[in-house]
């Protein structure tokens, strides 16, 4: 079974200093070459150990790791394309491959990320609960 890990520079925006590798040995060798010779970085598993990585794991990282560490969009998709589930998604996607690389309609406009808000967390949980028809006691706010 494959065991994927990610690492990102944690001293300022990661930009292109974001990598994904299959196995810790490969990850740390690449971290020392491309991110930090002294292994100073943030890192974690891409997926739980009991199963192969799936699209839900990549989507999770897109919403958590990418904005938190300010990973460049293209670097993220280049690295994720090493994972079979994401490579299959790209191969079978309903859109042209060009839609998955940076192609902003407004390249001159930078939109800052929104600050964390407990109210936004509560709103998201309430919307998801309503969509699923369940009580909103599954998340903390």
């Amino acid at each position: 079974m494959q065991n994927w890990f990610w690492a990102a520079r944690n001293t300022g925006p990661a930009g292109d200093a974001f990598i994904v590798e299959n196995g810790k040995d490969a990850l740390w060798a690449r971290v020392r070459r491309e991110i930090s010779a002294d292994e100073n970085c943030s890192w974690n598993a891409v997926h739980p150990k009991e199963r192969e990585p799936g699209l839900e794991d990549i989507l999770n990282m897109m919403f958590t790791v990418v904005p938190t560490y300010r990973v460049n969009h293209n670097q993220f998709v280049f690295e994720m394309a090493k994972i079979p589930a994401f490579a299959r998604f790209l191969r079978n996607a309903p859109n042209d491959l060009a839609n998955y690389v940076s192609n902003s309609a407004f390249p001159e406009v930078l939109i800052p990320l929104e600050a964390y808000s407990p109210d936004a967390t509560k709103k998201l949980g309430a919307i998801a609960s309503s969509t699923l028809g369940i009580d909103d006691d599954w998340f903390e706010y």
Side-chain angles (χ1 to χ4, degrees), residues 14-133:
D16 285 341
F18 171 81
I19 61 173
V20 172
E21 286 295 334
N22 184 17
K24 285 185 182 178
D25 290 342
L27 178 81
W28 290 113
R30 197 160 163 218
V31 163
R32 289 187 292 276
R33 281 192 319 270
E34 298 179 33
I35 297 178
S36 173
D38 64 358
E39 300 180 353
N40 180 21
C41 65
S42 294
W43 70 280
N44 208 335
V46 170
H47 59 104
K49 287 183 181 182
E50 64 272 2
R51 63 172 172 75
E52 295 289 329
L55 288 178
E56 66 272 15
D57 300 306
I58 285 98
L59 185 61
N60 177 58
M61 290 182 63
M62 190 178 295
F63 281 107
T64 58
V65 174
V66 170
T68 301
Y69 294 97
R70 303 295 203 276
V71 174
N72 286 342
H73 175 87
N74 282 350
Q75 184 67 16
F76 180 77
V77 295
F78 297 157
E79 292 294 319
M80 287 297 143
K82 297 176 185 178
I83 298 175
F86 192 62
R88 280 189 298 276
F89 165 77
L90 292 172
R91 174 65 178 92
N92 299 322
N95 301 311
D96 293 331
L97 196 57
N99 286 287
Y100 298 96
V101 294
S102 294
N103 61 350
S104 175
F106 306 98
E108 68 283 355
V109 178
L110 295 178
I111 299 172
L113 295 176
E114 299 169 80
Y116 169 76
S117 162
D119 291 338
T121 301
K122 183 177 178 180
K123 181 177 180 176
L124 179 59
I127 292 168
S129 296
S130 175
T131 299
L132 298 173

